[in-house]
């Protein structure tokens, strides 16, 4: 299998405009997501300026932009601002705020307004069901399950994602998303589970062409790397 054989839609996950443009121009990714943590890492100083720049750089693909507020009334205001930037924007709403209070009432309210939503930080089937139930019929939405982090907890996310893909069928226009990829094989797992979208960092995207690589050749290249690096250090054992 190569990356061209994958059925799943690949989104790039990041907040560096130059990096986003680079992946956009390659033509592999079909959408983009970001979040406050990635923006902090990328040194974004003005969110609204960044959002407009991202939409200008990538005018014809979906971009998910997350609210920053922790209070639901302010989240609603931010969602309206972000949604108005472009019809390609999906507004990311966390499944709870930092106090553990459910975002479901807000999700219902925003969905009823026709705002495209990407509900994020989902870890359980219960959260998936509540989220999908909250969507207004006929709206476009994404359910982002943090499968990579779920597996960090020692839980196999593949059966869960298969169940998620059945749940979302009740609301046509809703897509499932496998978030927090840790390795290229996670993309394969997401694809095999029937998930609609997988988010991948630029670092992982660089490894994607290696999918399906001959392992004998990979072994040789690894040894060659060790030899080259050892020689560059000038080490001598005897």
């Amino acid at each position: 299998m190569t990356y061209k054989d994958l059925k799943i839609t690949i989104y790039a996950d990041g907040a560096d405009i130059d990096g986003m443009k680079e992946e956009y121009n390659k033509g592999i990714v079909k959408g983009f997501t970001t979040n406050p943590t990635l923006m902090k890492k990328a040194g974004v100083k003005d969110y609204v300026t960044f959002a407009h720049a991202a939409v200008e750089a990538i005018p014809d693909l979906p971009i998910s932009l997350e609210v920053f507020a922790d209070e639901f009334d302010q989240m609603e205001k931010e969602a309206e601002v972000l949604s108005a930037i472009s019809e390609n924007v999906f507004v990311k709403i966390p499944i709870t705020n930092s106090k553990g209070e459910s975002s479901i009432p807000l999700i219902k309210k925003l969905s009823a307004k026709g705002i495209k939503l990407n509900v994020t930080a989902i870890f359980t089937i219960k959260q998936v069901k509540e989220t999908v139930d909250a969507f207004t019929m006929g709206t476009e939405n994404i359910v982002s399950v943090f499968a990579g982090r779920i597996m960090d907890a020692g839980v196999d996310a593949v059966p869960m994602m298969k169940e998620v893909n059945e749940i979302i069928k009740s609301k046509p226009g809703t897509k499932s998303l496998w978030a927090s990829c840790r390795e290229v094989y996670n993309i394969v797992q997401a694809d095999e589970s029937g998930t609609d979208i997988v988010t991948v960092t630029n670092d992982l995207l660089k490894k994607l062409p290696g999918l399906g690589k001959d392992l004998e050749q990979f072994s040789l290249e690894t040894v060659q790397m060790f030899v080259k690096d050892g020689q560059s250090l000038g080490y001598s054992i005897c």
Side-chain angles (χ1 to χ4, degrees):
M1 170 186 280
T2 71
Y3 71 88
K4 294 181 180 179
D5 298 315
L6 295 169
K7 301 179 187 70
I8 197 165
T9 299
I10 298 175
Y11 280 16
D13 196 25
D16 174 73
I17 295 293
D18 290 337
M20 293 170 74
K21 287 181 181 177
E22 180 182 351
E23 296 305 332
Y24 174 69
N25 291 331
K26 289 178 183 176
I28 296 174
V29 302
K30 302 303 179 185
F32 293 81
T33 61
T34 189
N35 61 52
T37 301
L38 291 171
M39 289 183 181
K40 180 180 179 180
K41 183 179 179 180
V44 173
K45 301 299 182 184
D46 186 305
Y47 190 3
V48 175
T49 298
F50 164 80
H52 281 280
V55 168
E56 183 178 349
I58 304 158
D60 56 349
L61 294 180
I63 300 179
S64 291
L65 300 170
E66 188 164 348
V67 297
F68 269 54
D70 198 41
E71 300 299 329
F72 294 121
D73 57 347
Q74 187 61 27
M75 278 191 202
E76 181 178 0
K77 293 176 183 177
E78 291 180 356
E80 290 174 343
V81 170
L82 294 174
S83 177
I85 292 174
S86 168
E87 63 179 12
N88 294 328
V89 168
F90 281 71
V91 179
K92 292 181 75 174
I93 302 291
I95 187 63
T96 71
N97 64 9
S98 69
K99 305 176 190 70
E101 298 165 338
S102 175
S103 299
I104 294 300
L106 175 62
I107 292 166
K108 286 182 179 178
K109 192 172 184 180
L110 294 175
S111 187
K113 293 180 179 181
I115 292 177
K116 296 177 182 178
L117 299 176
N118 180 339
V119 181
T120 190
I122 290 176
F123 281 70
T124 71
I125 289 296
K126 178 176 180 290
Q127 291 174 331
V128 172
K129 289 179 178 178
E130 290 175 345
T131 297
V132 174
D133 285 345
F135 293 145
T136 297
M137 192 66 75
T139 57
E140 294 182 57
N141 307 284
I142 298 171
V143 177
S144 289
V145 180
F146 277 44
R149 296 194 183 207
I150 289 170
M151 291 198 292
D152 283 345
V155 177
D156 184 0
V158 173
M160 179 177 176
M161 292 309 300
K162 289 180 179 180
E163 187 172 353
V164 170
N165 295 325
E166 289 300 315
I167 294 168
I168 64 171
K169 289 179 180 178
S170 66
K171 292 289 173 71
T174 297
K175 295 183 178 181
S176 58
L177 185 150
W178 177 302
S180 296
C181 276
R182 301 302 199 237
E183 56 192 14
V184 172
Y185 186 61
N186 291 156
I187 303 171
V188 176
Q189 291 175 303
D191 185 59
E192 292 177 345
S193 71
T195 302
D196 296 308
I197 303 166
V198 60
T199 50
V200 185
T201 63
N202 286 5
D203 287 342
L204 273 183
L205 283 169
K206 291 175 183 176
K207 295 182 179 181
L208 201 55
L211 186 62
K213 188 171 185 174
D214 179 81
L215 296 184
E216 292 283 351
Q217 179 63 26
F218 212 168
S219 174
L220 176 60
E221 291 175 4
T222 302
V223 174
Q224 290 171 339
M225 176 187 69
F226 291 156
V227 171
K228 180 180 178 182
D229 289 343
Q231 290 174 340
S232 70
L233 292 169
Y235 288 161
S236 176
I237 297 175
C238 58

